[in-house]
Amino acid sequence: MKVLAVGGGGREHAAVEALYRSGAEIYSVMKNANPGIMARSKKTLLCSEKDLDKVCAFAKENGVELAYIGPEAPLEVGIVDALEAVGVKCAAPTKAAARIETSKTFMRELVDKYKIKGNLGFAHFDNAKDAEAYLKTIDHEIVVKPVGLTGGKGVKVQGEHLHNFEETMDYVNEIFDANIGGAGVILEEKAVGEEFTQMAFVDGKKVVPMPLVQDHKRAYEGDVGPNTGGMGSYSDADHLLPFITESERKDAIAIIQSVIDAMAEEGCPYRGPIYGQFMLTVNGPKIIEFNARFGDPEAMNVLTALESSFQDICWQMATGTLTEDVKFFDKATVCKYIVPKGYGVKSESGHEITVDEDGIRKSGAVIYYANVDQKDGKLVTGTSRSIGIVGVGKDLEEAEQNCEKALQFVKCDAIFLRHDIGTRALVQKRVDHMKELRSA
């Protein structure tokens, strides 16, 4: 089958590798020359992923039958609506359905309207003055978020990033003054616990869950520093996480199913992968956010472990024929992202990066290229995350060790990463944290 793959990051490389393994003939569109995606593609178009006319023309001239859309920006401008109008089926949500991510207000109000479990208190504002008046009336800590898209980097939490009323208002004012996210500010009740990711395949009605993953947003080891798009993630061989019970996981899946049912009721049925970010609290899972796509880096964990045909799953999502017969290997995975120096604050870019792919494979790991480009025959870093290395093993310890062994085969003088992701000490810290909360 001829499949269009849109996007040039690590998440998209992982999806392209899964499509390639399942026999797809791949036609790719991306704004950067990702070498991993290009190596698997019959043809590549380098252009803005939001240029709907160019993307649709490329799909039509190559007889594409099915499209997979990786990033959120083209979803927000209606790439699925445009492709479906020219006869291409899409394993991704329409512009209306993608609002579950592109508008945090839409998501919270939907969950509130249908009385879905796991919601948090919230209020949204289109000006700083009203937000300030609201902040003066509450006595609990909150999370400040731009309503629109920010690439996973717009969230600031009281008690972690914001330490008093003045700092909170400074950030609220910054969101409006700089038009961050482009749609106002939403102030949400702060949930205390451990974050986890439950992703699922969706065909408009049916929800088929993937293994649980835990992401690490903070830039530096020990969970300190600014929030990022994600420095790495891990998944366990039993598809749970060490601090989550099967019952708690089922609660999260039930929340996702309720959201999908609500969207169908609203007249905007959801098709494609969905990403549920939850906080496990002493009162069960609470909704942090939904993304209208795979998580990045979490896609690299689950797609590396996917045993079933990803091409078949995408076709089933696009045509409303998804079955529960989706299999994942019983393997643990640990992903560590190699990122440019300064990432999370102000990235340095344009540095040459060299990779020994054979050495990585022999280490028991997989490489996924992300925000890198090819210039003058050399691979150079961009301003976002550069390369994801995913170690695979029978358990977390082996997967983490294989990831570390593989990292020595990537060389650059202006990169850094978090070595603590997936380590026994950091995972145990998560387990102990939940034990403390439950006992208290």
Side-chain angles (χ1 to χ4, degrees):
M1 186 183 295
K2 293 184 174 183
V3 180
L4 177 72
V6 177
R11 164 185 50 215
E12 289 77 40
H13 185 194
V16 163
E17 287 293 340
L19 287 166
Y20 182 81
R21 289 198 306 270
S22 52
E25 185 176 294
I26 297 159
Y27 295 81
S28 56
V29 175
M30 52 189 159
K31 59 181 180 284
N32 56 300
N34 183 310
I37 295 174
M38 293 178 76
R40 299 304 195 197
S41 301
K42 185 85 178 280
K43 283 186 186 176
T44 298
L45 172 66
L46 294 177
C47 75
S48 167
E49 295 139 8
K50 297 194 288 184
D51 191 329
L52 304 188
D53 290 340
K54 283 185 179 178
V55 174
C56 288
F58 181 73
K60 282 179 67 179
E61 71 189 33
N62 289 293
V64 163
E65 303 156 81
L66 173 68
Y68 161 79
I69 316 299
E72 60 274 27
L75 293 172
E76 183 180 36
V77 298
I79 190 171
V80 168
D81 308 70
L83 284 166
E84 290 186 341
V86 298
V88 178
K89 295 189 182 301
C90 295
T94 60
K95 182 176 182 178
R99 286 179 296 166
I100 199 70
E101 172 174 10
T102 61
S103 171
K104 296 177 183 69
T105 300
F106 171 83
M107 184 275 283
R108 288 290 174 199
E109 290 182 340
L110 181 84
V111 172
D112 187 54
K113 177 180 177 179
Y114 287 88
K115 296 182 170 46
I116 296 168
K117 288 183 179 179
N119 206 6
L120 296 168
F122 70 98
H124 59 95
F125 303 94
D126 59 9
N127 66 85
K129 185 177 179 181
D130 288 346
E132 182 176 12
Y134 171 79
L135 281 167
K136 288 177 178 177
T137 69
I138 58 173
D139 60 359
H140 59 269
E141 289 189 319
I142 54 100
V143 179
V144 182
K145 300 179 179 180
V147 169
L149 296 176
T150 60
K153 305 174 187 71
V155 177
K156 292 198 176 182
V157 182
Q158 284 188 336
E160 294 180 32
H161 312 98
L162 309 169
H163 300 97
N164 52 48
F165 180 85
E166 289 72 26
E167 287 184 10
T168 302
M169 274 313 302
D170 284 347
Y171 186 50
V172 169
N173 284 315
E174 182 186 344
I175 289 171
F176 285 107
D177 292 345
N179 199 30
I180 300 171
V185 68
I186 187 165
L187 307 176
E188 297 179 352
E189 170 192 354
K190 179 181 175 180
V192 178
E194 281 294 330
E195 283 195 48
F196 68 94
T197 302
Q198 175 66 72
M199 295 182 289
F201 300 116
V202 183
D203 71 350
K205 293 181 180 179
K206 186 181 286 291
V207 169
V208 178
M210 306 181 211
L212 290 178
V213 190
Q214 188 173 46
D215 183 23
H216 298 70
K217 289 285 187 191
R218 304 298 283 268
Y220 311 129
E221 293 185 8
D223 293 324
V224 298
N227 270 358
T228 70
M231 293 295 295
S233 46
Y234 68 90
S235 65
D236 214 342
D238 62 359
H239 303 165
L240 287 169
L241 290 171
F243 54 85
I244 295 180
T245 66
E246 182 62 47
S247 174
E248 289 163 339
R249 183 193 189 205
K250 285 179 179 176
D251 288 344
I253 295 167
I255 290 170
I256 295 174
Q257 183 69 67
S258 296
V259 167
I260 298 307
D261 294 344
M263 294 190 76
E265 187 71 22
E266 289 288 301
C268 51
Y270 187 99
R271 297 188 302 275
I274 193 167
Y275 167 110
Q277 186 79 29
F278 295 93
M279 183 75 79
L280 180 62
T281 72
V282 292
N283 297 311
K286 300 293 182 182
I287 301 166
I288 300 300
E289 65 178 357
F290 287 106
N291 291 162
R293 51 177 171 83
F294 280 109
D296 187 349
E298 296 100 326
M300 292 185 263
N301 299 91
V302 297
L303 290 172
T304 299
L306 181 63
E307 185 176 357
S308 298
S309 164
F310 186 48
Q311 177 181 255
D312 290 351
I313 293 168
C314 285
W315 181 257
Q316 291 167 8
M317 288 192 289
T319 58
T321 57
L322 190 61
T323 71
E324 293 181 8
D325 186 29
V326 175
K327 293 185 172 64
F328 292 86
F329 294 108
D330 294 328
K331 296 284 188 180
T333 64
V334 172
C335 173
K336 302 187 186 189
Y337 243 136
I338 295 164
V339 305
K341 190 176 178 181
Y343 178 65
V345 182
K346 187 176 181 181
S347 298
E348 293 184 19
S349 62
H351 292 272
E352 183 179 359
I353 188 166
T354 60
V355 176
D356 178 354
E357 292 187 10
D358 193 46
I360 291 167
R361 276 191 295 271
K362 288 177 179 175
S363 300
V366 181
I367 180 172
Y368 294 116
Y369 292 96
N371 187 225
V372 292
D373 215 337
Q374 296 182 73
K375 293 183 179 175
D376 302 323
K378 295 178 179 178
L379 197 63
V380 297
T381 58
T383 56
S384 191
R385 298 165 294 180
S386 305
I387 287 172
I389 301 293
V390 180
V392 182
K394 65 181 184 296
D395 53 30
L396 275 174
E397 193 166 21
E398 183 177 78
E400 193 275 330
Q401 289 171 354
N402 288 345
C403 182
E404 280 294 315
K405 283 189 288 186
L407 287 167
Q408 65 182 305
F409 296 104
V410 180
K411 306 288 186 187
C412 180
D413 60 2
I415 53 173
F416 74 97
L417 71 145
R418 279 188 60 171
H419 289 282
D420 61 345
I421 292 169
T423 59
R424 181 181 291 178
L426 190 57
V427 172
Q428 189 60 46
K429 182 180 173 184
R430 307 284 195 251
V431 173
D432 292 344
H433 183 216
M434 282 312 303
K435 279 183 182 175
E436 287 168 18
L437 291 174
R438 284 174 170 136
S439 63

